[in-house]
Amino acid sequence: MEPAVHHRMDPTSRLLPAPSRRPSRTILPTFILLASTLCVALAYGSYSGLLGALPAGVRVGARGSSVAMKGINARLPAGPGVDFRRLSAKQEGSALGQSRNLMRVASEAADGIAEQPSKGTLLVVGATGTLGRQIVRRALSDGYQVRCLIRSRFESEEARRVLQGWGATIVGGDLGQATSIPPAMLGVDAVIDCATARPEEPLRRVDWDGKVALIETAQALGIDRYIFFSIEQCQNYPEVKLMDMKAKTEDYLKSTDLNFTTFRLCGFMQALISSYAIPIVEGENVWGTDSSSQIAYINSVDAARLALSAVENEETFGKTMTLSGPSPYTTKQVIELCEKYSGSDAKVINAPGFFLRSIRGLLNLFYWAKDAADRLAFSEVISQNTVLSADMQETCRILKVDPESLTTLPDYLEAFFNTILSKVQKIRKSEYVSTAARDLEI
């Protein structure tokens, strides 16, 4: 029997509580917002850079807070693995049922477009993210033709110009709109998927429905090479909805005939800049934790190099591999490195794990605050003294990359601070000269 068609409700309607249950417009929402922002800062600061297209970072200080996180929507009812027989008709309609129409859509699109050269053409989904940008640059330098799927309503014109300036081709499309995907994939040799939902988007719309549509379209068009970026140990944390969806997508890929490779990420060094490096230099507060959890951060440049080495490497087909930095670090150790290379003392605010869990429980009491509560689920990962790391020797052997060439976190932070402090000194010197010139009436 054909699955029922899933009609999405107006997303704005989910944000408006019933008038009779509307909380205070001043005290309660303000408290919840501030509490969730501060707690997410700690949880996500410790877990910063974890999700490829998650450009994480929190800055708390004189200039306020800046939280860059990916939105979390309703949890999938299934467990970490995908059992499609257990999905309801409504769920099938929103994902697998929807994807059954993609072959027809792809065929109709292909009928109206002349055959295009496909050799060496990569489609990068999530091309404006921390990892996506580096993949585009590396692929172009390696001689590939690169096509970037861009959501016009979210990406800035500057981001488009940068990608086009490098030599990439921009095509419009949205993982949340399945029928926009097939035209962007015509003539593509391989798909590199490093996208995830933005804070203002429902997570399921992009990270489940959208991923299924992308995978089904690749199969319909005969694109058999697919590279997917996931999260290390995602199968162990079904309560963290983004990790749960990553685990389900991994299992769904395994059920297809695609020559896929899944790369699990631990965390990106780049995200530590906004979370710790810049606030410490500027004398702002940073969030610390008493947890002994460790993350082996990897330079996104190295991650892109490793991923591109897998595109034509048949030894990686059907494999799940972890991309990890050379050594894992606790949040405390990261802050100490920043202090060492910046020459500044960090203003650290520590919050225990139980505090985060308490705030998460409070937020769960309010329907309109559930997104913030879901984001705080990352605190569960941190509070359990998790180690997100992997031995890269075998991975580097398969990908033919020298493990000694991978950037270490101390080297990365030292290079950053040397660059930024040099620029600061030049600015200060220029300001001094200008002031002296005014004083002397020059």
Side-chain angles (χ1 to χ4, degrees):
M1 181 172 62
E2 288 297 322
V5 178
H6 176 59
H7 297 285
R8 304 182 191 277
M9 64 185 295
D10 181 1
T12 59
S13 65
R14 302 177 60 185
L15 303 178
L16 301 176
S20 59
R21 293 180 296 171
R22 183 174 297 167
S24 169
R25 290 182 178 274
T26 56
I27 299 177
L28 184 59
T30 301
F31 169 76
I32 295 298
L33 178 60
L34 291 176
S36 62
T37 299
L38 294 178
C39 296
V40 171
L42 173 58
Y44 207 73
S46 302
Y47 206 51
S48 57
L50 175 62
L51 311 171
L54 290 174
V58 178
R59 300 173 60 186
V60 182
R63 300 184 183 180
S65 302
S66 171
V67 182
M69 297 189 59
K70 299 305 176 186
I72 306 294
N73 197 29
R75 181 186 305 181
L76 292 175
V82 179
D83 185 352
F84 298 111
R85 292 171 298 179
R86 294 171 56 193
L87 293 177
S88 67
K90 181 177 181 180
Q91 291 167 331
E92 284 192 71
S94 65
L96 299 181
Q98 168 184 266
S99 67
R100 292 177 181 176
N101 295 322
L102 292 176
M103 183 175 292
R104 175 182 55 79
V105 174
S107 299
E108 292 173 356
D111 290 341
I113 301 177
E115 185 176 354
Q116 302 175 11
S118 59
K119 184 177 181 180
T121 300
L122 305 180
L123 175 67
V124 180
V125 185
T128 59
T130 301
L131 176 60
R133 292 192 303 270
Q134 299 301 334
I135 287 178
V136 171
R137 294 185 68 175
R138 182 76 190 192
L140 289 167
S141 67
D142 286 352
Y144 288 102
Q145 297 179 45
V146 178
R147 192 179 300 173
C148 303
L149 184 68
I150 300 294
R151 294 170 288 183
S152 58
R153 70 181 186 277
F154 289 121
E155 309 302 346
S156 66
E157 187 61 31
E158 180 182 358
R160 289 169 169 266
R161 286 198 300 267
V162 169
L163 295 173
Q164 289 174 325
W166 291 344
T169 300
I170 305 299
V171 292
D174 190 336
L175 290 183
Q177 299 177 357
T179 55
S180 72
I181 298 174
M185 297 181 72
L186 293 174
V188 166
D189 230 6
V191 176
I192 301 181
D193 174 17
C194 47
T196 197
R198 291 178 175 273
E200 60 270 28
E201 297 178 284
L203 185 69
R204 178 177 178 126
R205 180 174 180 268
V206 174
D207 281 279
W208 177 242
D209 294 349
K211 300 296 183 177
V212 169
L214 192 65
I215 293 168
E216 290 289 333
T217 303
Q219 292 186 102
L221 295 177
I223 305 168
D224 66 350
R225 188 68 179 113
Y226 196 100
I227 294 178
F228 173 65
F229 286 92
S230 185
I231 307 172
E232 175 67 358
Q233 298 187 28
C234 59
Q235 76 283 1
N236 296 334
Y237 298 95
E239 70 276 11
V240 181
K241 295 177 183 179
L242 180 57
M243 298 180 80
D244 190 35
M245 290 185 188
K246 292 290 186 183
K248 287 176 167 60
T249 305
E250 287 185 17
D251 288 335
Y252 182 49
L253 271 171
K254 293 175 184 177
S255 72
T256 70
D257 296 328
L258 294 174
N259 289 323
F260 72 90
T261 300
T262 296
F263 286 113
R264 289 183 169 183
L265 299 165
C266 296
F268 288 133
M269 296 178 184
Q270 280 73 9
L272 299 177
I273 300 304
S274 59
S275 298
Y276 300 105
I278 293 177
I280 288 175
V281 169
E282 295 183 344
E284 298 180 359
N285 296 331
V286 295
W287 286 94
T289 175
D290 54 4
S291 171
S292 60
S293 292
Q294 295 178 302
I295 299 176
Y297 299 97
I298 188 171
N299 190 339
S300 62
V301 175
D302 291 335
R305 176 162 56 104
L306 291 163
L308 267 297
S309 298
V311 173
E312 299 178 8
N313 187 335
E314 295 185 4
E315 196 174 352
T316 67
F317 291 4
K319 281 187 168 59
T320 297
M321 312 168 79
T322 298
L323 298 186
S324 167
S327 301
Y329 293 86
T330 63
T331 298
K332 181 180 178 181
Q333 290 172 327
V334 170
I335 293 173
E336 289 173 349
L337 285 173
C338 291
E339 290 179 316
K340 175 182 177 181
Y341 294 117
S342 68
S344 304
D345 293 329
K347 299 178 181 179
V348 183
I349 300 176
N350 285 303
F354 74 85
F355 176 71
L356 296 174
R357 290 191 291 271
S358 299
I359 293 296
R360 183 188 175 198
L362 176 63
L363 294 176
N364 270 320
L365 297 176
F366 305 95
Y367 182 82
W368 51 272
K370 285 189 179 293
D371 277 352
D374 290 338
R375 293 167 189 169
L376 283 177
F378 282 105
S379 64
E380 298 298 325
V381 179
I382 302 303
S383 64
Q384 294 177 24
N385 298 326
T386 306
V387 177
L388 298 179
S389 181
D391 185 353
M392 290 291 291
Q393 293 296 323
E394 179 63 13
T395 297
C396 287
R397 182 197 67 76
I398 294 174
L399 298 176
K400 300 177 175 59
V401 172
D402 181 6
E404 296 298 321
S405 68
L406 299 180
T407 309
T408 66
L409 184 58
D411 287 346
Y412 177 82
L413 290 175
E414 183 178 18
F416 169 79
F417 282 114
N418 286 342
T419 300
I420 193 67
L421 293 178
S422 174
K423 292 183 181 297
V424 168
Q425 288 173 356
K426 289 180 180 179
I427 292 172
R428 287 176 177 172
K429 182 178 180 180
S430 175
E431 291 176 349
Y432 172 78
V433 171
S434 298
T435 302
R438 285 195 302 270
D439 291 342
L440 296 173
E441 297 183 355
I442 298 176

